[in-house]
Structures are given as structure tokens and as C-alpha cells.
Amino acid sequence: MKIAIACHPTFGGSGVVASELGMELAKRDHDVHFVSYQPPFRVDQHHDRVHVHEVEVTSYPLFKYPPYALALATKLMEVVRANDVHLLHAHYAIPHSISALLARQMCRDCNLRVITTLHGTDITLVGADHSFYEVTRYGIEESDAVTAVSDDLAAETRREFGIEKPIHVVPNFIDPDVYSPTRRNEALRQSYVTGDEALMIHVSNFRPVKRPIDVVRIFSLVAKDVPARLLMVGTGPELAAAKEEAARLEVCDRVIFAGAVVGVAELLASSDLLLLPSDSESFGLAALEAMACGTPVVGTCTGGLPEVVEDGASGALEPVGDVQAMAMRAVEILGNQQLLRQMGEAARQRAVTKFPASRVVEQYVQIYEEVLATRD
Ligand code: GMT
């Protein structure tokens, strides 16, 4: 197959999933063309079947907001024509599904098919906003197939947008060899902790929806009972506020702000517990990556997260904002080495049996084949 993938290239779950999917497809001998305004950060451009096409947006004094969606549609159309692509896979509804639909319309003779994958905030925050609601709905209705990353997100999409067409649930996935407990690195761990201290970790794009301030609050409560350090990985709009909270709670000396890190498997495998107290989380890729590394998760029972983390088995889930409850659960787990080990093993087991790339990529391939079979 020849597939063009439109995605956000920066740090964030939808771009990661799109990149990993494209590379997995290339390994299976499909030709994959990534189309975005810069190379997606996890894409390995050295693979023969992986191609990256950058969208250039001309700015003009008349444009207060340069129309990226139109430039993307034009680039998609060029890529389709030059490479005999039959399938456009849009990750994140806005603007990608709209640009893909426009490209399909602009080159009718190519008989293109469009698949849209919904990732979360494209439905729960961006799409739900009045300014994007109707166009998001249009993107979903007009796509040849739609996937969502969890049952919860599929249900939310049907409810919020009154969608009746089928939405395929295709979860996020991991490569069990890359995200593995074998990536634990004692020297790396010892560069953050001293002696028997526990290492807690948070990985995100520090958007308000991730509640990084709650992460610091949970940690400061845990640290009263368990000697521990917190590793904050990533960057984003709430980074400064999270640092201020660490200062206010006088835990600065035990919180490490590592900034953006490209490969997080070693850090996850070298940590004891991931904190993910998000406001909403359609799936929680960071949780899955931690689990695959044998690191249990303490987070919120929100969105699709309970489909990933089994409360009491591979981690602990509590209501959004209940930092006390999440801290208590974290203390329980970290304070009991046997429980910590059991949960880590259960987490790894769940990740590799339910969410391995081998299984999930096949689900996408099957949808591609079904959709392509409808071409005249
Ligand atoms: O994290 C976001 O704010 C948006 C989005 C993204 O593009 O990074 O993340 C979403 O997609 C991920 C991949 O499918 C999911 O694992 C995340 O749960 C989801 N984030 C939210 O729903 C907040």
C-alpha cells in the first residue's frame, strides 16, 4: 500500500502514534509519506520506505493567520499525484481530516480514501469548542473510515457530535522490545536518587489538561512518608507554574525538571511509578509506555485511562483533582516492595498482551484494506 499520513509533528501523543504507525507500516513493506510542517520528531527518516514532505506556508500581510490547512491540502495532493498514493490517514481531526478531504476532492480522478483517527482533545477540547464543532463533525462524517483510540473516546464522539456511523476502536500501542523493563539503567537511576529513595516520574507536554501542578502536589505529599524524588519530563505551557508549585511546597531540591527528552523508555524503566493525574485522557500513551517498562501508574479514573490501567492491578486510579487519594495510593505502592513488584509485572503483562504493535498495526491494516476495497 502507499499511504500518506498527516499529523502534528511536535511532542504529543497523536504525533507519536502517527509516527510509530508509519514506521511499523514501512517495516511491513508499505510506502509511507509523512506530510507535516516539519519532520515528526520520532520518525526515522533513514528507512527506504519512509518519506517526509514538509508543508511550507507562505505568509502574506493580508493573512493574520496563514491558512496552514490549505497549504497542507495542496501538499497532500502533490504527494498523492507524485507517488501514486491511494490512502490518506489523518491523525487528529483538526485540521488534518479537513485538509485530507479537500485533497480527496481536488484530485477526484485519484479515487482517494480518507481515514481519520481521533486522538482525544480533537474531540474533547478543540472539537467541542464552538469555533471548530461543525467542521470537526464534517471531518468525521465525510471520512471513509474513522477510528478512535479508546471505547470511551468513540462513545464521547457519538454523544458529542451525534455520529451514527461506525467508529473503529484502535488503541495506542507499544513496541514491547523498546518499552521494556530490560531498559532499566541503574547508573541513570542513581543520577537522580540517592540510596533507597523511590523515583517517581511524570512525562507530558505540560498542557493544563495534564495537571502537572497536581503532579507536584501529589509528590510533596508522598515525600512526607516515603523518601523519594520526582522526575518531570517534557515541556509546555504549565512548566513554569509547576516549578513555582515545587518552590511553594519546598520540594525543589527533590524535583528534577529534565525538559523534553526524545527517548523516554530508559527513564520510564528506571523509575518506580508514573504519575498521570490528567483532567481528561482519551487513552494515556504515557501510561502504556510506563506499563510496558514494568512501571505502574497512579492517575485519574478519567476518559479511556481505565481501559489501559486496571485499578488495583497495574496501578491506581482516583478522581480528577483528588491529590490526597492519589498520594495515599502512591505511598501504599511505594511502601510495599512486593506490591510494587507485582504491579510492575502485571503492568508489563497487560501492555504486551493487549497493546503490542504487532496486534494493533494489523487492526489498522485491516481497516485500510476494507476502505481500499471500496475504490471503483
Ligand atoms: O495530549 C493531548 O493534549 C492531545 C493528544 C496529542 O496529540 O498529543 O493526546 C491524545 O492522544 C494520545 C494518542 O492517541 C492519547 O494517548 C492521549 O490520551 C490523548 N490526550 C488526551 O486525551 C488529553
Side-chain angles (χ1 to χ4, degrees), residues 113-351:
R113 292 292 178 264
V114 171
I115 294 178
T116 294
T117 289
L118 306 173
H119 281 273
T121 49
D122 45 356
I123 294 301
T124 56
L125 296 177
V126 181
D129 186 87
H130 177 73
S131 55
F132 292 120
Y133 180 86
E134 285 302 340
V135 79
T136 303
R137 195 178 134 72
Y138 176 83
I140 296 168
E141 287 289 11
E142 294 299 317
S143 293
D144 297 294
V146 176
T147 77
V149 297
S150 62
D151 287 329
D152 184 80
L153 183 63
E156 172 80 6
T157 306
R158 282 190 212 99
R159 205 168 41 237
E160 185 71 36
F161 293 89
I163 303 290
E164 284 176 10
K165 71 192 286 185
I167 298 176
H168 305 266
V169 174
V170 186
N172 290 175
F173 59 89
I174 39 88
D175 179 337
D177 296 328
V178 174
Y179 290 90
S180 160
T182 58
R183 302 295 300 273
R184 187 177 167 101
N185 177 334
E186 267 317 314
L188 179 68
R189 180 184 164 86
Q190 290 304 327
S191 67
Y192 297 119
V193 297
T194 47
D196 286 345
E197 283 175 336
L199 183 59
M200 300 167 79
I201 186 168
H202 171 75
V203 183
S204 82
N205 44 30
F206 284 66
R207 284 184 238 164
V209 70
K210 302 288 179 183
R211 297 180 76 105
I213 296 166
D214 278 6
V215 175
V216 175
R217 289 181 182 158
I218 295 166
F219 171 74
S220 86
L221 291 172
V222 173
K224 290 189 170 115
D225 287 325
V226 178
R229 306 251 171 179
L230 172 65
L231 183 57
M232 298 284 270
V233 182
T235 181
E238 294 273 279
L239 178 62
K243 286 183 177 172
E244 277 166 28
E245 191 65 3
R248 191 182 73 77
L249 296 169
E250 299 178 354
V251 289
C252 281
D253 56 333
R254 273 168 294 155
V255 181
I256 305 115
F257 288 92
V261 173
V262 174
V264 291
E266 268 200 330
L267 292 175
L268 290 169
S270 307
S271 302
D272 298 302
L273 201 64
L274 176 90
L275 290 178
L276 196 63
S278 310
D279 223 354
S280 81
E281 199 67 71
S282 65
F283 183 91
L285 180 59
L288 176 61
E289 291 178 341
M291 287 164 62
C293 290
T295 303
V297 177
V298 169
T300 39
C301 39
T302 181
L305 208 46
E307 295 170 44
V308 185
V309 181
E310 280 176 310
D311 186 20
S314 39
L317 300 179
E318 295 290 342
V320 174
D322 197 341
V323 292
Q324 293 276 356
M326 283 182 268
M328 265 178 58
R329 302 292 297 276
V331 168
E332 237 171 67
I333 298 167
L334 293 173
N336 178 342
Q337 283 302 308
Q338 197 190 340
L339 180 62
L340 180 63
R341 202 169 29 252
Q342 267 171 14
M343 280 195 162
E345 283 166 11
R348 164 77 183 169
Q349 194 56 25
R350 184 168 171 77

Side-chain angles (χ1 to χ4, degrees), residues 4-57:
I5 292 180
C7 65
H8 294 295
T10 48
F11 290 89
S14 65
V16 170
V17 171
S19 305
E20 299 285 358
L21 172 62
M23 291 189 296
E24 289 288 337
L25 290 166
K27 277 192 223 162
R28 289 160 177 76
D29 289 340
H30 301 293
D31 285 311
V32 179
H33 297 265
F34 288 97
V35 186
S36 195
Y37 58 84
Q38 68 188 44
F41 79 98
R42 278 218 196 161
V43 166
D44 171 10
Q45 295 190 57
H46 303 299
H47 196 292
D48 280 356
R49 291 188 179 272
V50 170
H51 314 271
V52 174
H53 307 267
E54 290 184 45
V55 180
E56 276 163 38
V57 190

